[in-house]
Structure formats: structure tokens, C-alpha cells
Amino acid sequence: MIEVLTTGAANSIQDLGRNGRFDIGVSRSGAMDRLSLMIGNALLGNDLNAAGLEIAIFPFRLRFDQPTRFAVTGAEGDVTLGGRPLPPRWAASAAEGETLVIAPPEKGARVYITFAGGIEIEPVLGSRATDLKSGYGGLEGRGLRRGDRLTVAAMPPMRAFGAALDPFAMLDFANPLPVRAVPAAEFSVFSADARKLFSRWSWRVTPEADRMGYRLEGPELKLERRLELMSHGILPGTIQVPPSGKPIIQLADANTCGGYPKIATIIEADLWIVGQAGPESRFLFTEVTPDEANAALRRQRLEIDALARTVAVARSLAG
Amino acid sequence: MREPITISFSGGSALLLQSNSSRFDDQFQKRIWSLASDLTSAPGFIETVPGMNNILALFDPEQIAPEEARRELTDRWAKAQPLPRRGKTVEIPVVYGGQNGEDFKPWSRHCGLAPLEAAQRHAAGTYQVAAIGAMPGFPYLSGLDPALAIARRSTPRLAVPVGSVIVGGAQAAVMPQTSPSGWHIIGHTKIALFDPHRDEPSTLAPGDIVRFTIEDVWL
């Protein structure tokens, strides 16, 4: 077992989310930065979909009641185990009674803690992810509270090691973050100016940014003509433009249907960047084709597979 | 008599097929249901989200290339015949007005009807579930008497309680969970529309018939 000592209610249990029930209004949920959750799971030899903790409110503290293998990935900052610092993207063993402390990150917005074997909790609708909006999955559909005790596997100690895969190396939060997007259904109905601004402006993330979506600040994106759209399915990454002209990125816990015009859809391979961008971060959008979107995702999966293979070899060598 | 449609990509692995009209059409929706059912066995397609006169089709780009998926969707739509689906009938008892139906009186005034008459007309209708979506179990119902339509509130409420019987534009619905909504609350029901722990979590499915019955009216 592990026990949560310090947390905020926006911290929650997440895996890669729910699929297959969009047709009855069930959101995908799951980690906002799926890439970091997968790296954390790969480091431990887990199924990539194993449930871990998504930490967005800091400081976060937990105590291990048993020897446990875990990894900390995602946003970078001060992480200590029993007072000893841990490097970023690092897997280690905790002894019984040790405390893991995660300070507010210096780079990125969300930290992931994964555990060998994953957090043991009943899946709901095929996933252990917490849907905070609809109130199911994870721990009774709610965020973590002080005193929560979670079941994870007890494991003998192992030698600590880190991931060679470092997606954060390319992220410079001092400058606009490059994010690729495929033009969406109403793209051509936006004015020529709006279409240009979309990929030239550096869009600022407002404080209205959570697991449901991010509101962006920038110039007003105008339509060439008025549109009355009927409700239609939308996916995480959809960039809607409501009548205010200010874009909204729909994310993990977003509604599955919407009615606002859509200018573009952020590609799956870059959604993790959005998940790591807090308020005041800026995005620079680049338009890509569906083929480019899929090639980027394929490359990311190959990198994760390679990491998982390296970990398997390293563990067999370590005996 | 083929209505014009638009097919566009939603990212790298999904296609949105939508009617170019902004008015809901029952026959068009029956073709959407037919296409959704056809796509369940189409190679490479993994999931569909039928909406209001549109459908989002998710595919696996490792199995089918995006442009090939677009061609496949176009072809299958051309062949889709209206599916005369009539699902189960679900009765929803409603307490109109009162504390849990705070827009009931302003809504009936807007419709130029006495409150009791407005409730009776709402309950007299035969509604059909066109699609489920937005939030878990939320039914988009067609069949609202046009005299009962009312534009959405200019400012949405941050929390419309679960069980609220609501009207927005030409559509009727019931809230399956407490959520923000700009629709008008005309009454309340105790019927649960969604339970993630049931074998079939959503009480309603596309094609189902909904009838509202009057449990009580607060005048």
C-alpha cells in the first residue's frame, strides 16, 4: 500500500483512458501527457496502459508502506525519496516507510508516478482512469485526498535507472511551444486573416485550463459567414472557436459532442505538449496532413517500444 | 434526393461526415444509423460517434490509410439506406415546474401557453433518441412540438442538476448528470439515464422512443 500525505483534489489516478464508448457520451479521460505515463510504465516493465498518478497540484507527498518499485516522469523539478534527490525520468525502489516528495515543477505542468504492476483498482468501462467531470473511474470518480491508501504490488528492491528517452529536451517553455494540428471541418470557412493568424500567432494559455480544456488568448478568429452547426462528435485535441473568436482546445475530460466551429485538431503525438503547458505557456501551431500526424505518432510509439526493450534487456542483465 | 454532405478529417485517424444543412432531418438521421451499423464491420474502422445528422468515424491508420478511409466512408454513405429503427419505448415521469423546474413558467409564457397547457403539450409528444453524446447517457431528442421551442439562455448555468428535464432550441433532453448547460429547466425526473456499472450503462439508445408523463405540475 501507499498512503497519500499531501495532495490537491485535481491529482488523480489515470491510465491511457477509455475507448469504445464515445457513442454513449463517455469521454476518453486518461493522462493529459500520455507519453510521460507510457515512459513511466515502460521503465518498470509495465503494460503501457497501467494506472499511475497524475500530479498537477504541488507539493505532493506519499509514503510507501512496503518495498515498492516506482518511477517519476513528466514535468521536471525537485523530487526526493527519503530526502535523497531523484533525477528526472527515473525508476527507483522505495523502502518501507520512505516518503516521496514532489515539489512544484520548474519545467512542465504534470508529473506522473507509476508503480511496478500499476495501481490495483477496479476498472470502470474498461479503464482505471478517473473521469473527474462525470464522477467515475479511479477512486470513486474523485481526485486524491490526504489519507487515501492505494494498493500497489510489494516488490524487492532493484537497481535504480533512468530513461534514455527525453521528450522534454526539445521543449523550451520560454518560447512558444511548437504544436502540430490538422485543419478541421470548418477551417476553410474562417476568414483568410483568421487562417493566417491561426498558424502565425503565438497563442497564450489562459488560467482557464484544466483536464476538460484550455482557453487560449489571442486575436479574434472570425468566420467568413455565420454557421449553425448541429451537435457532432469531437475528440481530445479539437480546437473549437466559439462566437467570442477565442479558441478552446478540448482535452481528456471534454464532452464527446459539441456544436462550435472547429479550426483544427491537434495531433495525438503532440497532445502531451499541451498537457505539460500550464497557464502563460504559448503555442505556435503548424498545419500538417493526416499522414504526417500518423507518421509522428508511429515514430513516438517506436521510441517507446525501443525504451521498453532496453529496459527488458537491462533487467535481464541485472538478474 | 441526396442531401449535400461534407467529409473532413478530425486529426490523423478520424473522419467527420456531416450534412450541409443546418436543419435536423429524420430521414438523414436514419441513414446515419445505417452507416454506423455498416461501419462496425468495415475493415480498419474502430469506432463511430453518431451525432445530429453527422457521424464521426474513428479508424486505425495502421490498417487503413487516411485517404483510403475517406473513400471508403464516401462509398458506404452513398449506399446507406435509411434504417427504420424503432427501439424500445421509455416512459419518463416528470414533475413540471416548482423548485426543480425553475424555467417552467417563463418558458410557458414564452410559448404563449398557460403552464398546465405547456406541460400537457410537452408530455403529448412522441420523441425519438437521435443520438447519445456530449456527456454520458445524454439523449438528443427529436420531436419537440415547434410551439415549445425556445432559444438557449445567453449565459449557461454552471450546474444544471441531474434529472432536469430541459428544452434548448428545437430540442428536448434530460440531464443524466449535473453539468453546465444553457438549456431551460422545465421539470425534473427521478429516472437515471446513466450508470457506468451496469452492463449497458446508457438507459437510452439511438432509435428509442421517449414519452414524458405528467407526475405533477407546480402551478
Side-chain angles (χ1 to χ4, degrees), chain B residues 102-120:
Chain B
E102 53 178 305
D103 299 328
F104 176 57
K105 281 185 184 163
W107 165 71
S108 51
R109 256 199 313 278
H110 169 89
C111 303
L113 299 168
L116 182 61
E117 202 185 345
Q120 282 166 341

Side-chain angles (χ1 to χ4, degrees), chain A residues 69-174:
Chain A
R69 294 178 185 178
F70 69 97
V72 180
T73 58
E76 294 175 5
D78 284 344
V79 178
T80 57
L81 174 67
R84 304 182 306 280
L86 285 184
R89 290 168 301 284
W90 202 252
S93 289
E96 185 186 329
E98 277 190 312
T99 301
L100 178 70
V101 180
I102 299 178
E106 285 137 30
K107 193 174 180 185
R110 291 180 170 84
V111 168
Y112 293 86
I113 312 172
T114 49
F115 306 90
I119 296 170
E120 293 169 25
I121 201 156
E122 271 306 298
V124 175
L125 295 167
S127 161
R128 295 178 173 82
T130 311
D131 186 326
L132 292 170
K133 184 190 63 173
S134 296
Y136 50 73
L139 264 178
E140 299 144 8
R142 62 170 174 83
L144 299 177
R145 289 183 198 147
R146 188 172 79 174
D148 278 339
R149 292 171 63 78
L150 305 170
T151 304
V152 299
M155 294 281 240
M158 60 168 185
R159 187 174 294 175
F161 57 92
L165 178 54
D166 179 7
F168 274 70
M170 57 172 254
L171 289 192
D172 171 14
F173 285 88

